[in-house]
Amino acid sequence: MIFQNGIKFYSMVEFWEYLPSEERLIVDHLRQIVLTTLPCSCKEKLTYNVPYYYGKKRICMIWPASVPWGGIKSGVLFGFCYGNKLKDVDAYLTHGTNKQVFYKIFNSITEIDQTALIDLLNEAVELDNKLR
Protein backbone atom coordinates (compact mmCIF):
# COMPACT_ATOMS: atom_id res chain seq x y z
CA MET A 1 0.00 0.00 0.00
CA ILE A 2 1.28 3.47 -0.85
CA PHE A 3 1.42 5.70 2.21
CA GLN A 4 -1.12 8.52 1.94
CA ASN A 5 -1.45 8.44 -1.83
CA GLY A 6 2.32 8.52 -2.31
CA ILE A 7 2.92 11.52 -0.05
CA LYS A 8 5.75 11.11 2.44
CA PHE A 9 7.50 14.04 4.09
CA TYR A 10 11.04 13.48 5.31
CA SER A 11 11.41 16.87 6.97
CA MET A 12 9.42 19.78 8.35
CA VAL A 13 10.62 21.80 5.35
CA GLU A 14 8.99 19.35 2.91
CA PHE A 15 5.81 19.38 4.99
CA TRP A 16 5.84 23.18 5.10
CA GLU A 17 6.37 23.59 1.35
CA TYR A 18 3.51 21.20 0.58
CA LEU A 19 0.88 23.24 2.45
CA PRO A 20 -1.39 25.76 0.74
CA SER A 21 -0.68 29.30 1.97
CA GLU A 22 -3.88 29.63 4.06
CA GLU A 23 -3.13 26.39 5.92
CA ARG A 24 0.53 27.35 6.29
CA LEU A 25 -0.45 30.53 8.20
CA ILE A 26 -2.68 28.61 10.61
CA VAL A 27 -0.12 25.82 11.10
CA ASP A 28 2.62 28.36 11.77
CA HIS A 29 0.53 30.17 14.39
CA LEU A 30 -0.49 26.95 16.15
CA ARG A 31 3.06 25.62 16.01
CA GLN A 32 4.42 28.78 17.63
CA ILE A 33 1.88 28.46 20.45
CA VAL A 34 2.93 24.85 21.01
CA LEU A 35 6.66 25.49 20.85
CA THR A 36 6.49 28.42 23.28
CA THR A 37 4.17 26.61 25.71
CA LEU A 38 5.52 23.07 25.92
CA PRO A 39 8.64 22.47 28.02
CA CYS A 40 11.92 22.23 26.09
CA SER A 41 12.07 18.52 26.99
CA CYS A 42 9.16 17.91 24.58
CA LYS A 43 9.94 16.94 21.00
CA GLU A 44 8.40 17.75 17.63
CA LYS A 45 8.25 14.87 15.16
CA LEU A 46 6.51 14.16 11.87
CA THR A 47 4.17 11.24 12.51
CA TYR A 48 1.56 10.18 9.93
CA ASN A 49 3.00 13.04 7.83
CA VAL A 50 2.00 15.80 10.30
CA PRO A 51 3.66 17.43 13.34
CA TYR A 52 3.11 15.61 16.62
CA TYR A 53 4.48 16.82 19.93
CA TYR A 54 5.78 14.36 22.47
CA GLY A 55 6.67 14.36 26.15
CA LYS A 56 6.59 10.91 27.72
CA LYS A 57 3.82 10.10 25.25
CA ARG A 58 2.03 11.95 22.46
CA ILE A 59 0.60 15.26 23.66
CA CYS A 60 -0.89 16.97 20.61
CA MET A 61 -0.88 17.21 16.82
CA ILE A 62 -1.46 19.72 14.05
CA TRP A 63 -3.20 18.17 11.03
CA PRO A 64 -3.95 20.33 7.95
CA ALA A 65 -6.82 19.22 5.69
CA SER A 66 -4.48 19.07 2.68
CA VAL A 67 -2.61 16.12 4.25
CA PRO A 68 -4.61 12.95 3.51
CA TRP A 69 -6.01 10.61 6.17
CA GLY A 70 -6.86 13.40 8.61
CA GLY A 71 -10.58 13.09 8.03
CA ILE A 72 -11.18 16.83 7.71
CA LYS A 73 -12.23 18.60 4.55
CA SER A 74 -10.94 22.11 5.27
CA GLY A 75 -8.89 24.05 7.78
CA VAL A 76 -6.36 22.77 10.29
CA LEU A 77 -7.14 20.34 13.09
CA PHE A 78 -5.40 20.85 16.42
CA GLY A 79 -5.83 17.68 18.45
CA PHE A 80 -4.97 16.54 21.95
CA CYS A 81 -3.93 12.89 21.91
CA TYR A 82 -5.34 12.28 25.41
CA GLY A 83 -8.10 14.87 25.12
CA ASN A 84 -10.54 12.52 26.82
CA LYS A 85 -8.50 12.91 30.02
CA LEU A 86 -8.44 16.72 29.96
CA LYS A 87 -10.93 18.65 32.09
CA ASP A 88 -11.64 21.21 29.31
CA VAL A 89 -13.80 23.22 31.73
CA ASP A 90 -14.80 25.70 29.01
CA ALA A 91 -15.85 22.90 26.61
CA TYR A 92 -13.52 24.39 23.99
CA LEU A 93 -12.71 21.09 22.28
CA THR A 94 -14.84 18.98 19.96
CA HIS A 95 -15.21 15.38 21.06
CA GLY A 96 -16.17 13.92 17.68
CA THR A 97 -16.30 10.18 17.11
CA ASN A 98 -12.84 9.37 18.45
CA LYS A 99 -12.99 8.32 22.10
CA GLN A 100 -9.52 9.61 22.94
CA VAL A 101 -8.50 12.48 20.64
CA PHE A 102 -10.39 15.73 21.26
CA TYR A 103 -9.75 18.58 18.84
CA LYS A 104 -10.58 21.98 17.41
CA ILE A 105 -10.62 22.81 13.69
CA PHE A 106 -9.50 26.27 12.60
CA ASN A 107 -10.27 27.83 9.23
CA SER A 108 -8.48 31.12 9.99
CA ILE A 109 -6.03 32.52 12.51
CA THR A 110 -8.75 34.75 13.99
CA GLU A 111 -10.62 31.66 15.25
CA ILE A 112 -7.70 30.63 17.47
CA ASP A 113 -8.22 31.38 21.15
CA GLN A 114 -4.59 31.42 22.26
CA THR A 115 -5.44 31.58 25.99
CA ALA A 116 -7.71 28.53 25.79
CA LEU A 117 -5.07 26.55 23.86
CA ILE A 118 -2.29 27.48 26.27
CA ASP A 119 -4.44 26.45 29.25
CA LEU A 120 -5.21 23.11 27.60
CA LEU A 121 -1.57 22.57 26.60
CA ASN A 122 -0.45 23.21 30.17
CA GLU A 123 -3.05 20.74 31.43
CA ALA A 124 -1.93 18.20 28.80
CA VAL A 125 1.70 18.57 29.94
CA GLU A 126 0.66 17.97 33.57
CA LEU A 127 -1.21 14.86 32.42
CA ASP A 128 1.78 13.70 30.38
CA ASN A 129 4.03 14.04 33.42
CA LYS A 130 1.72 11.65 35.33
CA LEU A 131 1.73 9.02 32.56
CA ARG A 132 4.19 6.14 32.60
Side-chain angles (χ1 to χ4, degrees):
M1 177 175 19
I2 297 174
F3 185 70
Q4 295 188 348
N5 300 326
I7 301 168
K8 174 70 175 141
F9 305 123
Y10 294 98
S11 70
M12 285 298 291
V13 172
E14 286 182 13
F15 166 76
W16 190 254
E17 290 173 349
Y18 175 81
L19 297 176
S21 60
E22 62 277 359
E23 286 182 7
R24 192 178 303 145
L25 290 171
I26 299 167
V27 168
D28 181 49
H29 192 70
L30 292 170
R31 186 170 178 257
Q32 292 310 311
I33 292 170
V34 171
L35 293 175
T36 57
T37 304
L38 294 183
C40 60
S41 59
C42 292
K43 303 292 181 216
E44 177 182 56
K45 179 181 173 187
L46 284 175
T47 304
Y48 303 111
N49 260 346
V50 297
Y52 270 75
Y53 300 87
Y54 292 82
K56 292 179 181 176
K57 296 193 179 247
R58 294 176 301 154
I59 295 174
C60 62
M61 72 187 99
I62 300 172
W63 201 306
S66 62
V67 177
W69 289 12
I72 61 170
K73 297 190 186 315
S74 66
V76 177
L77 179 142
F78 186 91
F80 287 90
C81 299
Y82 291 93
N84 61 323
K85 296 180 187 258
L86 298 176
K87 293 175 188 160
D88 190 17
V89 293
D90 298 323
Y92 185 68
L93 300 174
T94 302
H95 298 187
T97 58
N98 189 303
K99 292 179 183 177
Q100 186 173 322
V101 177
F102 290 4
Y103 61 90
K104 190 80 171 175
I105 296 174
F106 301 103
N107 289 296
S108 74
I109 289 178
T110 59
E111 295 175 358
I112 300 170
D113 182 342
Q114 186 166 331
T115 303
L117 277 183
I118 289 171
D119 289 345
L120 288 164
L121 281 166
N122 286 328
E123 185 182 349
V125 168
E126 285 180 32
L127 174 66
D128 184 68
N129 288 331
K130 294 175 185 175
L131 297 173
R132 293 184 175 189

